Amino acid sequence: MSLRVTPGMMHMQLSRNLNRNLTQMNDLQAQLTTGRKINKPSDDPVGMTYSLRYRAELSANSQYQKNADSAQSWLSFNDTVLGQAGDVMKRIKELTVQGANGTMPQDALDNINNELSQLKNQLIDITNSKLNGKYVFNGQNFDKMPYDQNAAGFDAKQVVTDTGDVSYAVGVGVTIPVNISGNEIFGNGNPTPEVDNVFTVIDNIISNFAAGNHTGASAQIANLESRTSKILNARSEVGAKVNRVELMQNRLSDLEINLTDMQSKTEDADFDKLLVDSKINENIYQASLSVGAKVITPTLVDFLR
């Protein structure tokens, strides 16, 4: 039994075909306009899953890069202030050696003491160094001045700084501590100051020079050298951390390139192919309109003429 094809059926089939072609043209135009082949989840459900994953990883990677930049800034600042502290220590040793040779009169020793007092104040200024409003030598209490000269009963050699780590996350499960405790650099305070606590040593040198005791001042040179060595070691550790952060920055940069490339392969449209497909689809649509016009135009009146 043959199926009777009516004009209504032809109209319906033609409409469906035209709508399908229009939908395809609309999708192609959307891809050309946005430059992406996935504009909604239904375009590629699996691809959308990967796309969201790449976006999340890129966002996290961007934050890790910012953290690495901040860590590098903190470490570079530490290196700078430790270098300044080393220069002050060098000058203190020069003055101590100069005054301890036993040939200087008391007036000259008093002048040396005046400069030593200024150098001590310079070291206190260094201990209170701030980066972006944070005191770099007071651990996690970076909002509090570690060596506050305005505090009641202030004595630099008695100060105890916070030892908590300030760390930056620079990768999945990777954190790098960037701070150094002030006591680690300049010597422990309470309960008993270290013999090479820089402020203890300076006070001892000043008191010996004030009393004209060249031998007592000379005995402090070993403590100066010990503290200077610790400052240099701390600066070396900072340098090693800077190198590691730079390696992490390179790694994060490479990861960003890889993730961006994979995201592009998943989301970005092939413009050359889109232009060809768009032209083909346009020709198909025009052909459908032309054929439809010829099929639908004839009516019963046309055959009665």
Side-chain angles (χ1 to χ4, degrees):
M1 179 178 178
S2 61
L3 177 65
R4 179 173 176 268
V5 179
T6 65
M9 295 173 61
M10 295 176 64
H11 280 77
M12 290 179 60
Q13 184 62 39
L14 178 60
S15 296
R16 283 195 294 266
N17 291 337
L18 290 175
N19 286 332
R20 183 174 62 252
N21 291 337
L22 282 173
T23 301
Q24 292 176 354
M25 287 183 64
N26 181 68
D27 291 342
L28 291 173
Q29 288 297 324
Q31 293 181 35
L32 284 170
T33 302
T34 62
R36 299 171 52 199
K37 60 184 177 183
I38 302 178
N39 292 293
K40 54 184 182 296
S42 59
D43 291 338
D44 185 354
V46 177
M48 178 60 72
T49 301
Y50 282 103
S51 175
L52 293 175
R53 183 181 303 170
Y54 295 145
R55 288 175 179 237
E57 292 181 2
L58 279 169
S59 178
N61 188 75
S62 177
Q63 185 59 57
Y64 287 139
Q65 287 178 316
K66 293 178 182 178
N67 291 351
D69 291 341
S70 297
Q72 187 181 48
S73 296
W74 190 303
L75 291 170
S76 297
F77 185 75
N78 277 351
D79 181 68
T80 299
V81 295
L82 289 177
Q84 294 170 353
D87 292 338
V88 173
M89 294 297 292
K90 179 181 178 182
R91 180 56 181 165
I92 292 173
K93 182 180 178 182
E94 290 175 354
L95 292 172
T96 303
V97 172
Q98 182 181 352
N101 60 21
T103 62
M104 283 193 170
Q106 189 60 43
D107 289 345
L109 293 179
D110 291 341
N111 290 332
I112 289 177
N113 273 351
N114 289 334
E115 185 172 352
L116 287 174
S117 295
Q118 294 300 317
L119 292 173
K120 178 182 177 181
N121 289 331
Q122 178 64 19
L123 279 177
I124 292 176
D125 289 340
I126 291 174
T127 62
N128 291 324
S129 297
K130 295 174 69 176
L131 175 67
N132 295 329
K134 299 177 181 178
Y135 293 99
V136 298
F137 290 122
N138 205 21
Q140 295 179 356
N141 293 331
F142 45 71
D143 58 333
K144 299 178 181 178
M145 182 182 292
Y147 292 79
D148 187 359
Q149 292 178 283
N150 296 322
F154 172 78
D155 186 355
K157 60 180 173 287
Q158 296 291 334
V159 171
V160 177
T161 57
D162 185 71
T163 58
D165 286 337
V166 176
S167 302
Y168 283 95
V170 295
V172 180
V174 181
T175 57
I176 297 180
V178 296
N179 67 307
I180 306 174
S181 170
N183 289 152
E184 183 181 348
I185 300 300
F186 305 102
N188 288 333
N190 282 323
T192 303
E194 292 178 292
V195 294
D196 64 347
N197 180 303
V198 65
F199 301 109
T200 299
V201 174
I202 295 174
D203 287 346
N204 288 339
I205 294 172
I206 291 176
S207 62
N208 280 305
F209 280 157
N213 184 357
H214 302 86
T215 303
S218 179
Q220 296 298 319
I221 294 177
N223 291 330
L224 280 175
E225 292 175 343
S226 172
R227 180 51 54 185
T228 300
S229 177
K230 291 178 180 179
I231 292 176
L232 290 175
N233 288 338
R235 193 176 184 186
S236 176
E237 291 178 7
V238 169
K241 290 181 180 179
V242 168
N243 291 336
R244 185 184 178 192
V245 170
E246 289 177 350
L247 290 174
M248 287 301 303
Q249 287 177 315
N250 293 334
R251 178 182 176 185
L252 291 171
S253 179
D254 292 340
L255 182 59
E256 180 183 18
I257 293 173
N258 291 335
L259 288 173
T260 301
D261 181 62
M262 289 188 289
Q263 181 189 26
S264 176
K265 291 179 179 178
T266 303
E267 294 183 2
D268 292 350
D270 184 345
F271 276 97
D272 293 338
K273 184 175 183 299
L274 275 178
L275 290 173
V276 173
D277 290 345
S278 178
K279 189 63 178 177
I280 292 175
N281 195 266
E282 181 182 350
N283 292 336
I284 292 174
Y285 180 68
Q286 293 296 334
S288 299
L289 290 176
S290 177
V291 172
K294 294 178 180 179
V295 170
I296 296 176
T297 298
T299 64
L300 180 60
V301 176
D302 295 320
F303 290 102
L304 293 176
R305 290 176 180 175

